[in-house]
Amino acid sequence: MDTQISNRQSVIQIVKAASSDIMTTLGGDTFGFALGLMLLHTTHSAMSFGLGSIIYPLVGLLLVIPVGNLVDHQPHRLLILGSKLAGILAFALYALLVPWLSMPMLLAVMMLTIVACCDKVTTTAFTAAVRELVNPAHIKTLATIEQAAIATIQLVSPIIAAALYADWVCWYRVDRIGDGNYFGLNRTNYAFSSGYSFAGR
């Protein structure tokens, strides 16, 4: 017999789901945009900047049937936790390997493919588990709040990624050059000039 989900439990689950969507989308989109900037700066290839835009739809199309069958026959909770753990391990492995490999493009393609697979499993399993999270009266509310949160973060994340990447490059070059004149106001101007130079290449 199914357990009835109360309105209070549904509201709590909506808050949890919205918070999870915000953190996941903000982290993933910020990283993806910053990764594109790094590859553009490293390889000077416009295609490298749009790797995520190519890989994510392709992986999503190829995994529609396999992931659907997997979600139908496996516990949703375990699938979501497993895919999140695999994504975290992929990010950690990328951070460890990228300073030592001379092929950043290949490593980025492999990492983005793994993360795209994990996101596909997470999204499909979460969609299938909606009725296990909230009662029927709150399903539309959950979907609306999630869509609004994701849309907002997708607008903000490129700005955050560009600012963080320009700031990181500024600090990296200051450490390499060892010139104290880059700090303070000059440092801020240098960060903005670095960001514009990447966009113009």
Side-chain angles (χ1 to χ4, degrees), residues 26-170:
L26 180 62
D29 287 5
T30 301
F31 177 82
F33 196 86
L35 177 64
L37 289 176
M38 185 198 74
L39 292 174
L40 178 62
H41 184 221
T42 304
T43 64
H44 305 290
S45 172
M47 182 175 291
S48 62
F49 183 76
L51 273 180
S53 301
I54 299 173
I55 293 175
Y56 271 76
L58 182 60
V59 170
L61 180 63
L62 294 176
L63 293 184
V64 168
I65 296 178
V67 170
N69 292 332
L70 181 66
V71 170
D72 288 340
H73 296 89
Q74 298 296 328
H76 299 151
R77 181 185 179 90
L78 292 180
L79 288 176
I80 294 174
L81 292 176
S83 59
K84 289 294 185 183
L85 179 60
I88 293 173
L89 292 177
F91 283 122
L93 188 61
Y94 178 81
L96 291 174
L97 293 179
V98 69
W100 306 102
L101 295 181
S102 59
M103 296 181 295
M105 181 78 77
L106 178 60
L107 184 61
V109 169
M110 294 173 61
M111 192 276 298
L112 287 175
T113 302
I114 295 173
V115 173
C117 293
C118 295
D119 286 350
K120 181 64 177 178
V121 173
T122 301
T123 303
T124 305
F126 183 81
T127 302
V130 165
R131 295 186 179 277
E132 302 171 13
L133 298 175
V134 298
N135 58 37
H138 287 80
I139 291 179
K140 290 184 179 180
T141 303
L142 174 60
T144 302
I145 292 177
E146 283 188 323
Q147 290 174 0
I150 292 174
T152 303
I153 294 302
Q154 287 176 340
L155 290 175
V156 175
S157 56
I159 302 174
I160 297 175
L164 291 176
Y165 184 75
D167 193 60
W168 176 82
V169 171
C170 174

